[in-house]
Amino acid sequence: MTPVHFSFSSAFILALMGLAFHRTHFLSALLCLEGMMLSLFIALSLWSLQLEATTHAATPMLLLAFSACEASAGLALLVATARTHGTDRLQSLNLLQC
Amino acid sequence: MTYFVVLFLIGFVLGVVAVASNPAPYFAALGLVFAAAGGCGVLVGHGGSFLSLVLFLIYLGGMLVVFAYTAALAAEPYPEAWGDWSVLGYVLLYMVGLLVIGGWLSVDWYINSWVVIDDFGTFSLLRGDFSGVSIIYSFGGGMLIVSGWVLLLSLFVVLELTRGLSRGCLRAV
């Protein structure tokens, strides 16, 4: 595994662990999701650049477009959570708790 | 050039560590800015200056600005930065994990593992990355229409999610 490959793979796994071990705020979990998307963008761009596959240069742009949709949906859920529960803290999402 | 790429790679990974350790969202957005800046530096070092520009413009200038002012919804009187013991525990855990796995993998790295492949043979006006992106407008026309349609649909998704007046989602009553 080359060092560049290790760096974006470890960035993805770190952001995934940050999403899995979320602590208090919903927004910090969404930011970890954005970190995963950033590492995927870097990975796809470096794939196109290092292998000199110029037609693959469009893939990170399309990834960015779809990730903008995902981020907007996540933020709309955050706003809806803050509107109903008053805060975005994850402890307040406890309606299904027995 | 290789030295810059190494520094930007380290900055990228440390920025993602700063986000993944889950401090207060103000500081996590700052860590994401540093991670994106490091990632842009890596891409520029590899010759992809257009993709780096797109990342800065759309990701930092569009998406992260929206996250930054949504952080007003996550305001608390004593935000936890990376000095708090609860966050610092996660930072140390991730740094130790990175050093262990990096140390295990680095036995195969030699001085030329870090060297950047870039096209220095000719000084051309056409670089690989933006020449490739322009394929979207010719052979990738269908994907252009699909992504435009998806963006329009996500606008309506956001409108439906935040409709309110007991017709939206996540109602507690």
Side-chain angles (χ1 to χ4, degrees):
Chain A
M1 186 181 270
T2 63
V4 175
H5 189 188
F6 169 65
S7 67
F8 62 72
S9 302
S10 62
F12 183 80
I13 291 175
L14 280 173
L16 185 62
M17 285 170 71
L19 180 63
F21 302 144
H22 54 260
R23 299 189 317 121
T24 46
H25 284 283
F26 188 21
L27 186 59
S28 53
L30 289 179
L31 283 168
C32 286
L33 211 57
E34 289 303 305
M36 285 165 69
M37 204 296 302
L38 176 68
S39 69
L40 285 175
F41 184 92
I42 301 293
L44 283 177
S45 305
L46 285 174
W47 180 6
S48 160
L49 289 169
Q50 283 186 336
L51 298 178
E52 300 202 14
T54 47
T55 52
H56 282 85
T59 32
M61 307 260 305
L62 295 170
L63 173 73
L64 206 56
F66 294 132
S67 137
C69 304
E70 161 209 333
S72 64
L75 283 175
L77 282 171
L78 180 91
V79 165
T81 309
R83 189 179 284 171
T84 59
H85 295 267
T87 173
D88 73 328
R89 297 181 83 95
L90 295 162
Q91 303 146 355
S92 65
L93 298 171
N94 58 358
L95 277 181
L96 291 177
Q97 201 173 18
C98 55
Chain B
M1 180 66 85
T2 307
Y3 193 53
F4 277 126
V5 167
V6 170
L7 287 180
F8 279 124
L9 272 177
I10 293 174
F12 173 58
V13 177
L14 288 182
V16 175
V17 166
V19 176
S21 53
N22 285 330
Y26 298 118
F27 304 110
L30 184 68
L32 207 54
V33 168
F34 283 129
C40 284
V42 170
L43 291 184
V44 166
H46 284 268
S49 44
F50 178 71
L51 290 170
S52 164
L53 175 72
V54 161
L55 186 67
F56 252 118
L57 214 57
I58 308 300
Y59 190 82
L60 285 187
M63 290 157 56
L64 235 86
V65 163
V66 180
F67 275 97
Y69 62 71
T70 313
L73 285 172
E76 49 185 37
Y78 299 105
E80 298 173 341
W82 302 288
D84 270 344
W85 280 112
S86 54
V87 179
L88 197 61
Y90 280 106
V91 170
L92 290 175
L93 171 74
Y94 294 144
M95 294 298 293
V96 163
L98 271 177
L99 288 173
V100 163
I101 297 178
W104 177 58
L105 286 171
S106 65
V107 289
D108 293 326
W109 297 346
Y110 53 103
I111 192 63
N112 280 342
S113 298
W114 300 87
V115 168
V116 171
I117 301 172
D118 196 4
D119 185 10
F120 286 119
T122 56
F123 285 111
S124 166
L125 204 61
L126 296 175
R127 301 292 293 182
D129 56 345
F130 63 78
S131 311
V133 166
S134 61
I135 294 281
I136 290 183
Y137 292 102
S138 67
F139 291 107
M143 203 60 204
L144 190 65
I145 292 175
V146 163
S147 52
W149 184 247
V150 163
L151 282 167
L152 182 68
L153 277 183
S154 67
L155 185 68
F156 290 118
V157 161
V158 166
L159 276 176
E160 283 303 317
L161 280 175
T162 55
R163 188 175 275 270
L165 276 178
S166 76
R167 282 198 296 271
C169 73
L170 277 176
R171 307 303 307 185
V173 293

